[in-house]
Amino acid sequence: MRTKQTLPIQGFEIESIATPGIFHPVMGQFLLLGSVCLFLPFLASGHMIHYRSADPSASLLNSQARGPTTSNISDIFVGRCEEHVQCLQQDQCNTNTTLRGTCDQLWGTFVDAFAYKDPCQAGNDDYDAVIAAAMPHANKDESLFWSGLPKLALNNGRVTGRYTILEETLPGYIANGLTWCGQTGAPGINYNTPCPSAYSSGCANETMYTFWRAASRAFARQATGTISVALDGSRTNPPAFRNTSTFATNELPNLNTAAVTHVNILLVYDISVKGDNRRALCDKGSIKDLQTLLTDRGFTYTCIEGPRGFKFLQCAGDPDNARCVEACSFAVIPNASIALVLAASLLIKLVTGVRN
């Protein structure tokens, strides 16, 4: 008799078919990990996983180099809105679309927030009507916040379906990668010269920065259950966690202490970093600062160094990386003694037909 079981690997859930008495559970785990390693080259070539790659500068909160307003922005805006609402990207579909009104109406509300205005004088509430008409939403236990990992965080959610980040919700999906700014003269939108950034002198209230902060506040307020915070554990300057980061200043203060039950801190290590890439650890440095802030707000937390789901996703893009090869070799055969015991056990079961 064959039974189906779901075996979770952090960030991935894989269904396997097991025959009682034939495969020992421990051996099944090794075979499962081995299969993940075996198929990494196929994952990398796109034969088994299909997703739209994230823009390297996915969060425009941190983007400094910009051009003028994106050409044909109205068509792109409305098109992405319809795509999200109608769930046309089915493998990336978020069924919890929150649009109030139509996509054309949302575009009109969006334009009103910045057109014919100084792009460096945006009000804190300029985009409130936009967010109210297109509230970000994630299912319980699926909200993922991140810092320093724009592409990896987005691709993890799209590939595994386990997490949702702001850029996958309706307002984030529409605005991700776009550039926009207004001008006081006609036509009200600047299509000709580079838009300023919040890092420009005298432009702390820059319009795009204001939009993303409004969206991230709303994303934090809707989070429920266990949330996750993914941090770049391989960087040192800036550190993995900063007290001035968007999460620290804008999202953490807006988490609902009655709705969020636990926080998972995920320290993701960059496999491309030479030498020791484990530069942030759970028990020291900036991560202790984050833990103090969480405790002060009444949240319990778990800290995980090197979550395997994020590592496997990196290995899918670089399967020949030494860290991926090493991980696979230890995953499949941790040592010769265990391998021999498992092989002997399997042989005995096959010959004698013994059932557990």
Side-chain angles (χ1 to χ4, degrees):
M1 177 180 177
R2 304 171 74 193
T3 60
K4 180 181 288 187
Q5 58 182 353
T6 298
L7 301 176
I9 299 179
Q10 291 180 16
F12 295 86
E13 289 188 355
I14 301 176
E15 287 189 345
S16 66
I17 301 296
T19 304
I22 297 296
F23 290 105
H24 189 278
V26 176
M27 185 156 191
Q29 290 284 351
F30 288 133
L31 292 175
L32 177 61
L33 289 170
S35 67
V36 171
C37 295
L38 177 64
F39 290 121
L40 281 177
F42 296 96
L43 299 177
S45 62
H47 290 127
M48 294 187 65
I49 291 180
H50 303 275
Y51 57 87
R52 190 178 74 179
S53 297
D55 188 291
S57 59
S59 176
L60 294 173
L61 285 172
N62 299 314
S63 177
Q64 298 186 43
R66 293 181 183 157
T69 297
T70 303
S71 298
N72 302 310
I73 187 173
S74 61
D75 294 335
I76 298 171
F77 185 103
V78 173
R80 287 185 178 181
C81 177
E82 293 289 358
E83 181 180 52
H84 196 280
V85 170
Q86 297 184 41
C87 203
L88 299 181
Q89 294 259 356
Q90 295 181 11
D91 59 336
Q92 303 167 16
C93 181
N94 186 335
T95 57
N96 297 297
T97 292
T98 54
L99 179 64
R100 297 179 181 177
T102 68
C103 291
D104 286 319
Q105 290 171 336
L106 183 63
W107 166 249
T109 304
F110 180 75
V111 170
D112 287 344
F114 73 92
Y116 289 99
K117 296 180 181 179
D118 184 332
C120 291
Q121 298 298 321
N124 195 52
D125 58 355
D126 279 4
Y127 289 94
D128 283 359
V130 177
I131 302 303
M135 287 291 293
H137 176 81
N139 293 328
K140 182 181 178 182
D141 300 329
E142 292 185 3
S143 295
L144 173 65
F145 302 86
W146 58 269
S147 181
L149 302 164
K151 186 172 183 177
L152 190 59
L154 183 56
N155 287 345
N156 187 289
R158 286 175 171 171
V159 171
T160 69
R162 186 175 181 180
Y163 301 114
T164 298
I165 66 172
L166 172 60
E167 288 82 353
E168 291 179 284
T169 67
L170 181 56
Y173 184 81
I174 292 172
N176 188 28
L178 298 180
T179 300
W180 70 90
C181 59
Q183 60 186 33
T184 55
I189 300 177
N190 176 10
Y191 290 104
N192 299 313
T193 59
C195 292
S197 78
Y199 296 90
S200 304
S201 177
C203 201
N205 296 321
E206 184 266 321
T207 190
M208 288 172 56
Y209 182 77
T210 302
F211 166 82
W212 284 108
R213 284 183 66 84
S216 68
R217 283 195 302 271
F219 185 64
R221 289 168 183 161
Q222 63 78 48
T224 58
T226 297
I227 69 165
S228 300
V229 183
L231 304 173
D232 184 350
S234 295
R235 70 183 186 185
T236 56
N237 186 23
F241 173 74
R242 296 173 294 121
N243 287 323
T244 57
S245 68
T246 298
F247 179 73
T249 63
N250 201 54
E251 293 168 336
L252 178 56
N254 283 286
L255 292 175
N256 185 343
T257 55
V260 175
T261 57
H262 192 73
V263 180
N264 285 330
I265 304 171
L266 309 177
L267 297 183
V268 180
Y269 300 120
D270 186 346
I271 66 172
S272 68
V273 171
K274 304 298 182 182
D276 183 11
N277 66 345
R278 299 169 62 88
R279 297 173 181 175
L281 300 174
C282 289
D283 60 353
K284 62 179 60 177
S286 67
I287 305 306
K288 294 297 291 184
D289 295 336
L290 171 57
Q291 292 168 357
T292 298
L293 288 176
L294 292 172
T295 300
D296 288 347
R297 289 221 58 208
F299 294 117
T300 60
Y301 62 83
T302 301
C303 186
I304 302 171
E305 296 174 356
R308 289 185 295 178
F310 281 90
K311 183 172 184 178
F312 288 152
L313 194 59
Q314 292 180 80
C315 289
D318 187 12
D320 295 324
N321 186 288
R323 287 189 169 96
C324 300
V325 175
E326 179 184 16
C328 284
S329 63
F330 279 105
V332 179
I333 307 179
N335 60 58
S337 298
I338 292 178
L340 289 173
V341 170
L342 290 173
S345 174
L346 176 60
L347 180 60
I348 291 172
K349 289 178 181 292
L350 287 173
V351 172
T352 63
V354 175
R355 294 289 183 267
N356 289 334

